Every structure is written in structure tokens, then in C-alpha cells.
Amino acid sequence: MARPTRARVRLVGGVTAAILLVTACGGRTPAPPEPDDPVGAADRLVAALSAGDVRGIPATADMQTELNEILAGMDGIRPTVTHGEVRRTGNAAEVPLTYVWPFAAARWEYTSTGTLMWSGTEWRVDWLAGMIHPELTSQTRLVHTSRAADRGKILNGAGAKLTDDVVVIRFGLDKSLLGEDEWEGAARRIAEKFGVNADRFAARVQAYGPLAFVEAIALRHDAEHPDGWETLPGVAGLTSTRSLPVDRDFAPELLGTVGPATAEQAQAAGPPVLAGDPIGISGLQRRQDPVLRGKSGAVVQLAPRRTRPAAEPADPSASPTASATTAPSTTSAATPIPRKLLFEATALPGQDLRTTLDSALQLNAERTLADVTGSAALVAVRPSDGAILAAAVSPGSGVDPHATFGHFPPGSTFKPVTALALMRAGLTADSLVECAPSVTVGGRTFTNYSGYPASGQGRITLREAIARSCNTALIAEHARITPADLQRAAASLGLGQDYEAGFSSFFATVPEPDPANPTVGFAENLIGQGRIEASPMAMAGVAASVSAGRTVVPRLLEGYAPPDPATPLSSAEAAALRSMMAATVTSGTADDLRGLLQGAKTGTAEFGTDTPPRTHAWLIVYADDLAVAVWVHDGTSGSGTAAPLMRAFLTGR
């Protein structure tokens, strides 16, 4: 034991002599800086690891390159990293690290240890792969595999499936089959063959990796596929399953579609959605995606690196053997490294989503509109509880949810709202109003619709004015009410009662008149023109409110409660409105439907800038516990265009 002591003494003596020599020469060597508190360095380290960007962290190796290789197979998922109490011993500090990976079905949590070394001026990370996971080495990395969850089904009001897993063929471009300079041309040819947007598909192809399969479209396996598709360069068709409507004609724009998430969609959805994961693209599938999607499972394995070094250096933290020295590992790059399971989480299935739809009525509505040229919509609501029983659009509407989300002037179907506001201002259904050929308000002259019967002019009751749809009678009474009165009356009939309904919905807007000429604007609003907009669903709610004798706001899903109106519809007000809508059937503009209905209101709404203006055709009705709205984008009138469709729906013919 004496020899080590003498060595230390000699070292101290040598240092003393050196100090004396420097002092004798008149100079002084500054003492090296003492290590500062390593906690700040540990804080910066875990923040950088959590962000996946460690370029600003001093280290004994190219830590960013190492980290990129280790995490290359983790699909962009990042852990949250925190540290425990930092333990410093001289110029070294041990940092306990906790990693939490945010997988959908379960989080993966473990601990490892990092080491900081004082370089004389700063703390540096003493890099070892085991800092990222204790079982990692310089030859291994982490690889994640996602396990899709069973998607929940969309159900009708009786609990029957409206969507299910259907076998499809996913057509697209396999980028690995072509050179980089061929990708765009091949993508555009595939897009043209399958009728998808070429610019969007080509952009998606460029965004994916060089070995990726990029889907252009998925078609049911039993559907017709374009002839000759298999001859296109780079094309591939992969058989898979996808959540689709059981009946392809059943409310496709309402139920929506499911498809692989693009990088942008995955980013918008946020973790744990990854590019390529099945997600809702439109309709209820999109709006209720978090409920239907469930939670995907995850598998994380220890796997060989893509490029492995020739030899694995000895692990300095390994336990010593009986030998005086520990030889380095001789594992070569050719030695297979088996994969090892580190973590596994079982996928959790999505929840089923129950709607209020009636399958028979929905299919009847689809058939009713099947032959309509252009856009049209039909919505049926149950007045007793506000349940939407059917919401259909014509083929010409495409994927636009006009039935529940359309923004259209309702025209004369809005007149029950005006009548309610006038009754609250003192009129009754039997009050006399003046139905003149024309009336001038704010410098603008208003007339009735073309073909208005002369027998309906003069002093008539408010009931008759609604039944015959006299514009001038209502506009002449504009001074009795205010825009606020009209808004309150609209809310009492469900219009403007916007709420989080869980699907694409629009419950109308009844805004202030155009400030450029508020008097004219208010007159326009009184007859459902001007700045008033509503969806067919919202107008079906008007008929449902009158039928039920209380405010009815349509609903499609359980658990989404509409707000209570500031001024509820009273039973007496509803009775008066029912007498007006009944007169529309018995002696008014909907008399062609006499015997099928208890109440109705026709409407024609001008839109656009054409001369003469184009018109929407409207009809809202109720019969027993059913309220229905029909809207046709380009129609001559409610009675001439919408009424035949209503008849076909109500009679099933």
C-alpha cells in the first residue's frame, strides 16, 4: 500500500513545483472553472429528447444521427421524457430518465439512465444508445407496428347496422415499382383511369416515401372496375376491408366514408393517428371518428439497425468477469440479431354509433330523389321527439350534405315565422290584412308571385294570407314588428337554434337586415328572402314544431341536447299556425295534396343574379307524427316542383 501513497505525494510535489515555477516567472495559471449545477443541462436534455431534436445538446457522439436511426421505425411517434433527481459525483452526473410513449390503447413507460460529463466548460452527454432504452445497443433500434382497432358501426334507430366491414380493392400507385422520375406521370394516369383528382393524387404520391403504396381509390370488390387498369405502369390493387354503408345507396353523404389518413390529416387529427391509418374522411364517419375509430394497438420491438457497425464496443457498465480485462464484443454485422418484443398493447374496438334514422323511410327518400336532375333534398322528422328519420339528397348533389347543412333562402316556407311574430304583436289568425297587387317599402316595390289569383287580393285574413302565400299582406305589416321579434319567433319554431349536434348541421340564420337599406332588407326577410338562410332539415323542424305544438329542433344522435328557446312556442300559437297550414292544404297553394296532409306551406325563393332570377322550390308538411321538407335547387314553385316529390314520398310511389 506504500507505493500508491508515494505516487500521490510525487504528484502533489510535481504540481507544487510547477506552481512555484510559474510564480517565480511572475505569471499565474487560472484555476479551471468548477462544474455548475447539472440540473439545467438535464432539463435541456429531456426537452430535446421529447422534441426529437438534440442538435443543440453537447455530446460525445453525433447524437442526432444516432437518435434518428433508433427512432426511424417509430412512425414519427415521440415520447415525453422527464428526469428524476440528478446525482453528481465530481465531474460526472447521473440522470434518471423516464420515457412515456403515447400509444392509443395504452401508454408505454420505462426508465433508463443518462450520463453527463463535465468537459471543463460545459456538461456533455456521454452517449450510449441505452440512454434511449436500456436494452438498446449500437446495433439495434426501436420499431413500431400499429394494429388497427375494429371500427364501430353506425346503426339506425332500431339498432340495425348501417355500416359494416366490407371487402374492397384499394387501387393506387406502388412507388417501389417505378423510378422517381416516373411517379408523377404514373399517378396522373391512374387518377384519370379511376376518375379521381389528378393534382391531389400526384401531390399525395410525392409526399409518401419511395417504397410506399399510395391509394387513389377503394372500390367494393363486387363493383365494376375500369377496364385495363392492370396495364397501367406502377398500378396495384390490394384487397382489404373498410367500413362502408351496408347499402351503397343509403345516405352516403350523411354516413360518410373511411380511408387512409394523409400526412396532413394525421397531423390534424393528432396522436395517435398516423399517416395511412384508417380514419373518417366525411360525414358521420369523420365527425364521430374518435368514437368509431377505437384505439389502435401497438407493438414495439428491438430490431437490427438498417446499417450496423462491424463490431459492438464493450459496455462499460457491464459487470466485470474473473478476467483482469474485458475483451470487446466480436459481434459482426453478418451475425443475425433477432427481434425482441419490448411492448405490446391490444387494440380497443370503437364504439357503435346509434342514429335516429328509419331505414325504410330513408330508402324511400333516396328512391324519391333518384331521378331528380340537379340538386334536391328531403328530410323527415318525427315531431314527437325531433328525431331525424330520413335525410336524403339527389344524385346531382354529389357528396354535399344539402339535406342537413344546406344554406338556402327558404322563401315562403318562412312565412309561418312571420305570422307568429305578427300574432305576438297583436294580430290573430282571423285578423284582416291587405293583400294588394303591390306594396312599396323603403323605395322598393314588392309584388306577389306570378299567377297569384285575383280572388285572393283585397282584405283577407292572416290565415288566408299564409294559405295563399300573399307577399304584400305580410310586408305591409312590417311596422308592427322588429327584427328582434322575427328572430324570437324563428327560435320558437326551431330556426337559429344552433348547437353541437354531432353531425354536419345548419339550423338557419335570421340576421339583422342589410344595413345598406334596413327597411327593404327587413321586408325581404319577412318573406324568407334577404339574408335569411336555412337547411331543409331546419325547415322540417318548423313543420314539426307546428305539428307538435312546441319548439322542435331536429336531432340525429343520442346525447346531443338542443337548447331551450328564449320564448317557447305555446299551444295556442301552435293551434293558430296549424289552422293556417291546414288552410294551405284545403284551399291554398298545396291543395293538390289534399287528403295526404294535415298541414303544409309552399315556398319559392329567388337566388343568384340571373334575369329573371333562378328559384328554389320548397314544401314543408306534417301528417300525424311525421314532418317533411322537400327542397329543389332549381324549381318553378313549391306546388309545381316540390309537391310531386312529396306525393311520391308519402305514397311510396
Side-chain angles (χ1 to χ4, degrees), residues 329-368:
S329 169
T330 57
T331 301
S332 70
T335 304
I337 298 178
R339 291 198 172 207
K340 179 180 180 180
L341 179 66
L342 297 180
F343 173 77
E344 184 172 14
T346 303
L348 302 177
Q351 302 176 38
D352 291 343
L353 182 70
R354 188 160 181 163
T355 70
T356 60
L357 294 173
D358 181 294
S359 290
L361 285 178
Q362 178 67 35
L363 290 173
N364 184 23
E366 303 282 358
R367 287 192 297 269
T368 298

Side-chain angles (χ1 to χ4, degrees), residues 13-100:
V15 171
T16 303
I19 293 173
L20 292 174
L21 178 60
V22 171
T23 303
C25 295
R28 180 181 296 274
T29 300
E34 287 293 319
D36 59 15
D37 190 341
V39 172
D43 290 341
R44 291 187 292 274
L45 173 62
V46 296
L49 289 172
S50 297
D53 184 354
V54 293
R55 288 172 294 181
I57 304 299
T60 58
D62 184 351
M63 194 159 64
Q64 187 65 59
T65 298
E66 287 286 309
L67 188 65
N68 290 345
E69 175 62 24
I70 288 172
L71 302 184
M74 292 303 290
D75 295 320
I77 303 171
R78 300 292 183 203
T80 298
V81 189
T82 57
H83 70 77
E85 182 181 357
V86 180
R87 296 180 291 274
R88 175 187 165 192
T89 303
N91 287 346
E94 189 176 84
V95 184
L97 300 171
T98 298
Y99 288 77
V100 178

Side-chain angles (χ1 to χ4, degrees), residues 160-239:
K161 291 179 183 178
L162 299 179
T163 64
D164 205 351
D165 292 333
V166 177
V167 177
V168 299
I169 300 179
R170 301 170 58 209
F171 297 97
L173 176 65
D174 184 344
K175 296 178 69 173
S176 68
L177 300 177
L178 301 174
E180 183 175 355
D181 59 339
E182 300 175 286
W183 290 340
E184 181 170 354
R188 292 186 177 278
R189 285 188 288 272
I190 292 172
E192 181 180 359
K193 173 66 74 172
F194 288 94
V196 301
N197 186 291
D199 290 338
R200 293 177 186 172
F201 182 55
R204 288 182 60 210
V205 165
Q206 292 297 333
Y208 278 70
L211 304 179
F213 168 79
V214 187
E215 179 183 312
I217 191 171
L219 300 175
R220 295 172 189 259
H221 76 288
D222 56 354
E224 291 187 8
H225 305 144
D227 292 335
W229 67 266
E230 64 277 2
T231 64
L232 296 174
V235 73
L238 307 181
T239 301

Side-chain angles (χ1 to χ4, degrees), residues 540-616:
V542 171
S545 296
V546 174
S547 175
R550 58 179 178 79
T551 305
V552 175
V553 179
R555 62 181 183 85
L556 181 66
L557 305 171
E558 298 294 339
Y560 292 86
D564 294 326
T567 308
L569 180 67
S570 72
S571 58
E573 292 167 343
L577 291 174
R578 278 195 295 270
S579 73
M580 299 176 191
M581 294 183 70
T584 303
V585 178
T586 58
S587 58
T589 55
D591 59 357
D592 284 348
L593 298 176
R594 191 184 300 119
L596 290 177
L597 309 173
Q598 294 164 352
K601 184 68 196 79
T602 59
T604 305
E606 297 178 352
F607 71 96
T609 58
D610 293 354
T611 303
R614 297 163 66 186
T615 54
H616 300 312

Side-chain angles (χ1 to χ4, degrees), residues 621-646:
V621 308
Y622 61 86
D624 298 324
D625 199 15
L626 185 68
V628 187
V630 169
W631 163 84
V632 181
H633 188 269
D634 285 279
T636 56
S637 65
S639 58
T641 306
L645 296 174
M646 185 70 75

